[in-house]
Amino acid sequence: MSGNQSSSYDPRKAEWDGVPIEKWEPSKWKQWKSKHTATDEFVKMEREYLRIKHTVEQANTALSLDRVKIKLKLTSAKSIGLQGSFPCKAGDVGKNGSPHKQYTLSLGFVANDIGVKAAIAKARELDLLLITKQFQWTPELLGKQAQKLASLNEGKNAKLISELIQEYEQEFWKTHEQNRQGIRTWESHYIRHLKKLPQDSPLSQESLEVALQKTKPNTPSRFYLAWQLKKFCEFCGFDGIKIINSYATPLPTPTIRKIPNDDEIIQGFAKIGVPLSPYASKENITLPEQWQWAYGMLATYGLRPHELFAIDLEAFTNPANTFHLVTLNPSLTAGTKTGERNCGIPPLYPHWIDLFDLKNIKLPFNGGKLSNKTAKLYIKFRTSSVGFRPYDLRHAYAIRGHRLQVPIKTMADYMGHTVQEHTKSYQRWMNEDTNLEIYKEVVIHRQGTSKEALKERIRELEAENLALRAENETLKGILIQHQLGELLS
């Protein structure tokens, strides 16, 4: 018998004494004789087929005992597939509209002992993914269907990433208003991350990996980049979920900041006003008193650092502004988050106006874009060894409002927040020490004040009682004298 005849022979069509091989008990594979002689190559292939069939049945029995729902199936005399109920593929619908459907997966397992072991391991793996609801259709599982989808998507992916981003932006503006807030959202939450992709390349697994490698694991940058890439791939119809998930890390929990107290803030005012070196150039240099004015405004009004450059200075210095309110002009921040205040921002400590000499305007000299101006503030805080960052002064302002018992809604208005955002963003910075201070001021102090007032009132009543007793004794004496006078007369 030639090798070609052996390779093309299908033992599943064999029969013996009128009994088809498919109806033969696989456990009796050694007794199978067929119509050929015992030494015939065809008989050996038929017996091997029955033996593997028996091995597959034993494997499925063991899987059932372990409650594994994925089973092995001989898809041909030479290959083993996996059969089970899986989530429907794209475009498929299960029986009676069910989200699941019976599939047989051909994963290339050869019908021999090694192939059986490999198939068992894969069946257990897929069953675990189904139980934990992490199963996804990958190109490996889709097989030929994935190749068809790849060929269909090839024309789409021929576009450069820069072109796809332009289409993505057009889709974005269908659901967002083209105002200052919408522009800010696109720039900070979308294009900021998509710029990490190689713009002059088509969208591919490699281009996604290039972008992901530009961020560090377990950082907010990696978390939000992965989130945005998933949305972008979904829009482009590109299957990049596997490579993105392999890099994705959870959003780290923010560390608790050390918010400066009032004394530390006042000390920081002196630190940031360190005189310049005598050798420093006096041209295009921000002077110490200018840094101090900026510092004082951030500390007194809880401004975002970039909002320092949006203050209506004329209104602030107007003599009619008796409450020293600060108003902002959002147009000066070029779309950067400002918060639409429906009221002026008051100083929670009015005496800091004079302490920091804030009505004597000394706006820092800062050229360039708004981001550059803000960056210089952060650099100055760091190089002056203040011990905290500009934004920490804003957190201190928020906590100061709680300590002064300003209602949360009012504080949210002062800071340009919703109540929900204010509570979420700022109360988490109130550590144990801060909460204890608030308790002392709001509860203990109030209680102490009440006790002192009560004691004072008691002392007043006691004095009044003594006065009444003295007056009573005096009247008694007068009465006795009057009665004695009458008796003598």
Side-chain angles (χ1 to χ4, degrees):
M1 181 180 59
S2 67
N4 290 336
Q5 289 177 320
S6 176
S7 61
S8 61
Y9 179 68
D10 188 355
R12 295 178 298 176
K13 297 180 180 179
E15 62 177 45
W16 180 47
D17 282 347
V19 180
I21 193 171
E22 293 295 349
K23 293 186 178 181
W24 188 268
E25 174 57 44
S27 61
K28 299 178 180 179
W29 60 272
K30 292 183 180 179
Q31 301 174 19
W32 178 263
K33 295 181 181 179
S34 187
K35 61 184 178 181
H36 311 287
T37 62
T39 57
D40 196 297
E41 186 69 25
F42 286 154
V43 177
K44 294 180 181 179
M45 293 176 64
E46 291 162 5
R47 287 179 177 174
E48 178 63 12
Y49 169 71
L50 287 171
R51 187 185 75 82
I52 292 299
K53 188 176 182 180
H54 176 55
T55 304
V56 168
E57 289 180 352
Q58 289 180 314
N60 285 335
T61 300
L63 291 172
S64 295
L65 291 174
D66 290 341
R67 297 184 179 180
V68 177
K69 296 182 180 181
I70 309 299
K71 298 296 185 290
L72 277 59
K73 179 182 179 180
L74 279 170
T75 53
S76 72
K78 297 181 180 180
S79 62
I80 300 173
L82 298 178
Q83 189 175 63
S85 178
F86 297 92
C88 292
K89 298 178 182 178
D92 285 358
V93 179
K95 189 175 181 181
N96 297 325
S98 171
H100 291 76
K101 187 176 179 181
Q102 190 85 3
Y103 290 102
T104 299
L105 309 180
S106 298
L107 302 177
F109 298 120
V110 180
N112 56 29
D113 292 331
I114 296 176
V116 171
K117 291 180 180 179
I120 291 173
K122 191 66 177 180
R124 293 182 181 276
E125 177 189 337
L126 294 177
D127 186 70
L128 180 61
L129 291 174
L130 290 171
I131 291 173
T132 57
K133 297 182 179 180
Q134 297 183 40
F135 176 85
Q136 291 180 344
W137 285 106
T138 63
E140 174 196 10
L141 299 177
L142 290 170
K144 293 181 179 179
Q145 183 177 351
Q147 296 176 5
K148 291 179 181 179
L149 289 174
S151 61
L152 290 174
N153 289 333
E154 188 174 352
K156 294 182 182 178
N157 295 337
K159 293 182 179 179
L160 299 178
I161 289 176
S162 58
E163 297 173 330
L164 292 172
I165 290 177
Q166 290 178 358
E167 296 178 4
Y168 190 42
E169 183 178 6
Q170 292 174 2
E171 189 69 19
F172 172 84
W173 290 120
K174 291 180 180 179
T175 55
H176 294 76
E177 290 187 29
Q178 290 195 10
N179 54 17
R180 183 173 57 87
Q181 184 177 359
I183 294 171
R184 178 62 179 168
T185 300
W186 169 255
E187 291 179 348
S188 60
H189 298 298
Y190 288 77
I191 193 62
R192 170 187 174 187
H193 303 294
L194 297 178
K195 281 181 178 179
K196 292 182 172 66
L197 290 165
Q199 303 294 300
D200 297 330
S201 303
L203 186 59
S204 63
Q205 303 283 343
E206 292 75 18
S207 61
L208 292 174
E209 194 164 16
V210 167
L212 290 161
Q213 288 176 347
K214 292 180 179 179
T215 58
K216 295 180 180 179
N218 300 306
T219 59
S221 298
R222 173 67 63 82
F223 175 84
Y224 288 114
L225 174 62
W227 167 76
Q228 185 54 243
L229 289 180
K230 287 179 182 178
K231 294 183 64 176
F232 183 60
C233 287
E234 182 181 354
F235 168 78
C236 299
F238 181 78
D239 184 13
I241 191 70
K242 186 174 182 180
I243 187 68
I244 296 173
N245 282 341
S246 68
Y247 278 87
T249 54
L251 181 65
T253 303
T255 56
I256 299 300
R257 298 186 184 183
K258 174 64 172 68
I259 307 303
N261 58 37
D262 296 344
D263 291 337
E264 290 170 335
I265 291 174
I266 294 172
Q267 292 169 10
F269 180 81
K271 290 179 180 179
I272 207 166
V274 173
L276 293 173
S277 165
Y279 303 102
S281 171
K282 298 301 185 293
E283 296 181 3
N284 299 333
I285 291 292
T286 300
L287 300 175
E289 54 268 24
Q290 292 175 305
W291 287 123
Q292 286 184 318
W293 184 85
Y295 178 98
M297 291 299 293
L298 295 179
T300 306
Y301 291 95
L303 302 173
R304 298 179 179 93
H306 68 266
E307 291 175 342
L308 184 68
F309 306 98
I311 298 174
D312 186 340
L313 298 175
E314 184 177 348
F316 177 60
T317 56
N318 192 316
N321 184 17
T322 54
F323 291 105
H324 314 297
L325 302 180
V326 161
T327 54
L328 301 176
N329 182 356
S331 64
L332 297 178
T333 56
T336 304
K337 183 178 180 181
T338 298
E340 304 297 344
R341 269 78 161 188
N342 55 13
C343 62
I345 308 168
L348 298 181
Y349 284 170
H351 64 278
W352 278 9
I353 300 292
D354 295 328
L355 179 65
F356 299 144
D357 194 20
L358 299 182
K359 287 299 180 82
N360 184 10
I361 306 297
K362 305 182 187 72
L363 192 66
F365 174 82
N366 265 337
K369 295 181 179 179
L370 184 64
S371 58
N372 294 337
K373 296 178 181 180
T374 307
K376 289 178 182 178
L377 276 173
Y378 280 86
I379 294 171
K380 181 61 179 178
F381 269 65
R382 186 170 64 252
T383 57
S384 299
S385 300
V386 173
F388 44 86
R389 293 172 290 183
Y391 221 96
D392 294 337
L393 293 174
R394 179 169 169 81
H395 297 313
Y397 179 86
I399 293 173
R400 192 175 305 129
H402 286 283
R403 294 176 64 177
L404 295 174
Q405 305 177 55
V406 179
I408 291 180
K409 175 62 171 67
T410 305
M411 281 302 302
D413 290 341
Y414 291 165
M415 303 191 73
H417 290 153
T418 62
V419 172
Q420 293 80 1
E421 183 182 2
H422 179 77
T423 304
K424 177 182 176 183
S425 299
Y426 288 94
Q427 288 198 339
R428 72 181 183 199
W429 302 126
M430 295 172 63
N431 56 28
E432 184 178 349
D433 293 337
T434 304
N435 286 322
L436 183 59
E437 286 298 319
I438 293 175
Y439 175 75
K440 287 178 181 178
E441 292 187 13
V442 175
V443 180
I444 302 299
H445 178 67
R446 178 187 296 172
Q447 186 181 54
T449 303
S450 299
K451 284 183 178 179
E452 290 300 324
L454 183 60
K455 288 179 180 179
E456 182 63 28
R457 181 58 179 160
I458 290 172
R459 285 193 292 268
E460 290 176 359
L461 291 173
E462 287 176 344
E464 185 177 345
N465 189 36
L466 289 172
L468 289 172
R469 284 182 180 179
E471 184 179 353
N472 188 38
E473 291 297 327
T474 302
L475 292 173
K476 282 183 180 179
I478 295 172
L479 180 61
I480 291 171
Q481 289 179 359
H482 179 70
Q483 290 175 344
L484 287 173
E486 288 182 350
L487 288 173
L488 291 173
S489 63

